[in-house]
Amino acid sequence: MSSLFIKKKGNTKPDKKAESGAGTKRKAPANGRTKKMTSRLNEEISSDSEPESPAVEKKARVQEDEEIEETAQEKKLRLAKLYLEQLKEEGDVESGKKLHTIPGGRKGTEDRHVGHTAHILCMAISSDGKYLATGDRNKLIMIWEAAPCKHLYTFTGHRDAVSGLSFRKGTHQLYSASHDRSIKVWNVDENAYVETLFGHQDVITGLDSLSRERCVTTGGRDRTVRVWKIAEESQLVFNGHEGSIDCIQLINEEHMVTGADDGSIAVWSVGKKKPLVTVKQAHGCHGDGGLEQPYWISSVAALQNSDTLASGDVESGKKLHTIPGGRKGTEDRHVGHTAHILCMAISSDGKYLATGDRNKLIMIWEAALCKHLYTFTGHRDAVSGLSFRKGTHQLYSASHDRSIKVWNVDENAYVETLFGHQDVITGLDSLSRERCVTTGGRDRTVRVWKIAEESQLVFNGHEGSIDCIQLINEEHMVTGADDGLGRWWRIKEAKNGLYIIPLKKQNSEQDVTSGK
C-alpha cells in the first residue's frame, strides 16, 4: 500500500501545460527533501502528483470542458467582490483610498499576462505580512510581495482547481488544497515544492493551519475532517456531518469548527473522532411546507482562543454566536453574566448550554442561538464546575461554598444539594451514570457521588490541593494537583483509603429554582 504522504519522485514526466510558464520548471529531489532553488522573480516551479489512469485523465478533460455550476467558494468569492465594490464607493476604513489591485487577464492571455486569468478561489497572507498567495481555477498558485502586490513566482502541480491556501503561522511554509484531492506543501522563501499528501476521497473544500506543523482539511462529500501531522507523516480522520463538509476554521491548536451543506455546524476536538457539539439547521430552513431544506453553511470563522464563532450561508446571510456579558451593577437590566464566567457545559444533544460565574449564578441558554432561557440561583459562593449527565438534561453544579447541586433543566427545577467536601470544590465531571466526581481543593480528597444510592466514595492520595479532574470512562478518572503530581484512579476497586459515608441531603420547600 502506498503511503498516505507521497513525496515527489525524481525523473517524473514533465507537465506540458506548465512549460508555457514564465520560467524553468523545477522538480523535487528523489529523497523527498526540499531542494533549494534560485529565488529569481517570475519563476515557475512544478510538482507532479501520482500519475492517473488514462480513463481518469479523459474524464477530467471532459469535466473541464463542461460548464461547472457555482460552488461554495465561488459563491463566497462573488459575494466578496460585491462587498469590495461597495467599499470602493464608501472608501477604505482608515484612509478612504483603494490600496492595491491584483491584476487579472482574460482566458487565452496566459503567455503574455502576469496574473490570474481564471476565477481566484482562495488567498492567504503570511503572518508577518511579507507574502500573499492566491489560487485559481486554472490550477495555479501565485506568490506576491504583499505590500506592493508585486508578482514573484508561480507554483504549478495541482491537477485541478486550487481550493484552499494557508500559511503556517510564524513561518513561510504554505499549504495548498485542491479539487484533485491532494494537499501540497511549499517553501515560499526558497521557491520550492516540498511534498504531496493524499487521503481525501472527494474534492477538498476547506483548509486551515496555525503554528504547529500540521493543517486541517475538509473533504466535501467524503464527509471527513482530517488533521495532517506533517512531521509524523500521519493523519487523523474525523466523521460526524451527514452532508458535504464545505468549510473549516481552527479555533485554537486543539479545537476547530466546520460547516456543511446539511445546514449543520460542528465543533471538534483533535482528541475525539466525533464532534463535541453539533448544531443542526443552524441558520434555519427555507422552502414550502413539507419541502423545507436547511440553509447551506458555506463559511465559518472563529476569533482565535475565544468563544466567538461566525457562520455564513449561501442565501440568508451570516450569524454570530457569542455569550452576552455586562458590567457590574447592570444585573437588573442586563440579560447575561456581569462577572467572570468560571465554567461552562453543553448537553450531549447540543440543546442546552449552561454557564456559571463568580456571582453565584448559573444561566441556561438555548445552545444553537445562545438565547437565554432561565437562571438558577442557590449557591452561596462562586460556581466552579458544571456538567450535564450524558444522554440527559440533568445538570450538576459545584461551588466554592463546598456543595454540589442537582438540577432538572427541562423542568427548570432544583432537585437536591450534596455536602461532604471540607474546602472549596475545584473540579467536577460526569458521564452517563447517575453520579458525578469532584475534587475538594485543599481538603485533598476526590469524591464519587452516587446520587441514586445517596452515598459517596472518598479517595486520598495527593499531598497538595487537588485542582482538576476528568473522567476517562465510567471506571477511571485522572486528577491533577498543585504538588505537581497527576494520579490515575480506579473507582471500581476503590483503593487509596476508601471509606463510605451517607450523603447529607438537603431538600427545600422553597422555590425550586432557588436551590436554597
Side-chain angles (χ1 to χ4, degrees), residues 347-363:
S347 60
S348 55
D349 62 358
K351 183 177 181 180
Y352 295 119
L353 167 68
T355 54
D357 69 15
R358 186 173 285 178
N359 271 356
K360 319 170 193 176
L361 300 179
I362 302 168
M363 294 193 180

Side-chain angles (χ1 to χ4, degrees), residues 18-26 37-46 103 110-116 131 140-145 149-156 188 191:
E19 293 177 358
S20 63
T24 304
K25 182 170 64 177
R26 306 287 184 177
M37 302 181 180
T38 60
S39 58
R40 182 160 47 93
L41 297 184
N42 298 326
E43 183 177 14
E44 180 177 302
I45 69 167
S46 173
E110 293 85 355
D111 56 342
R112 60 183 182 274
H113 175 74
V114 178
H116 293 282
Y131 294 118
L140 300 179
I141 301 168
M142 295 194 179
I143 306 299
W144 311 78
E145 188 178 352
C149 274
K150 178 183 177 182
H151 180 261
L152 299 179
Y153 28 80
T154 300
F155 294 158
T156 65
V188 176
N191 186 13

Side-chain angles (χ1 to χ4, degrees), residues 387-501:
S387 179
F388 279 96
R389 180 185 170 194
K390 192 173 182 180
T392 76
H393 294 147
Q394 186 178 63
L395 177 67
Y396 305 116
S397 64
S399 171
H400 289 177
D401 65 8
R402 299 178 291 179
S403 73
I404 299 98
K405 292 186 183 291
V406 185
W407 314 84
N408 186 324
V409 177
D410 279 330
E411 298 181 5
N412 185 17
Y414 159 75
V415 180
E416 60 181 321
T417 301
L418 318 175
F419 291 99
H421 279 293
Q422 303 304 307
D423 193 37
V424 298
I425 301 176
T426 53
L428 168 72
D429 197 20
S430 67
L431 288 177
S432 301
R433 296 183 185 175
E434 194 176 2
R435 68 185 187 187
C436 62
V437 296
T438 56
T439 55
R442 289 183 176 80
D443 75 2
R444 303 177 184 176
T445 66
V446 175
R447 295 176 187 246
V448 178
W449 305 84
K450 297 187 175 182
I451 311 297
E453 302 172 22
E454 297 189 356
S455 64
Q456 58 179 292
L457 308 178
V458 182
F459 300 79
N460 296 276
H462 281 291
E463 297 179 359
S465 172
I466 310 176
D467 295 323
C468 50
I469 189 168
Q470 179 79 46
L471 279 163
I472 301 169
N473 52 42
E474 294 288 1
E475 301 298 332
H476 298 85
M477 54 190 171
V478 62
T479 56
D482 66 2
D483 58 8
L485 298 177
R487 290 186 180 271
W488 180 299
W489 309 78
R490 182 175 175 85
I491 300 172
K492 191 174 182 179
E493 294 181 359
K495 295 181 179 178
N496 297 296
L498 163 72
Y499 58 95
I500 301 176
I501 59 176

Side-chain angles (χ1 to χ4, degrees), residues 219-234:
R221 288 182 176 81
D222 75 2
R223 302 177 183 177
T224 66
V225 176
R226 294 175 188 247
V227 177
W228 304 85
K229 297 184 176 182
I230 312 297
E232 301 171 23
E233 297 191 355
S234 65

Side-chain angles (χ1 to χ4, degrees), residues 152-199:
L152 299 179
Y153 28 80
T154 300
F155 294 158
T156 65
H158 280 297
R159 296 179 178 272
D160 207 335
V162 180
S163 56
L165 291 168
S166 179
F167 279 96
R168 179 184 171 195
K169 193 173 182 180
T171 75
H172 294 148
Q173 186 178 60
L174 177 67
Y175 305 115
S176 64
S178 170
H179 288 178
D180 66 8
R181 299 175 293 179
S182 73
I183 298 99
K184 291 185 183 293
V185 185
W186 313 84
N187 185 324
V188 176
D189 279 330
E190 299 182 4
N191 186 13
Y193 157 70
V194 181
E195 60 181 322
T196 301
L197 320 176
F198 293 97

Side-chain angles (χ1 to χ4, degrees), residues 280-328:
K280 296 185 177 180
Q281 299 180 6
H283 285 217
C285 295
H286 62 93
D288 299 329
L291 299 174
E292 295 92 347
Q293 292 291 327
Y295 283 110
W296 172 11
I297 305 299
S298 58
S299 62
V300 292
L303 183 61
Q304 288 182 8
N305 302 309
S306 77
D307 61 356
T308 301
L309 307 176
S311 58
D313 63 52
V314 297
E315 295 292 342
S316 68
K318 60 182 181 296
K319 288 192 175 182
L320 184 68
H321 311 281
T322 186
I323 297 174
R327 294 184 178 180
K328 185 176 180 180

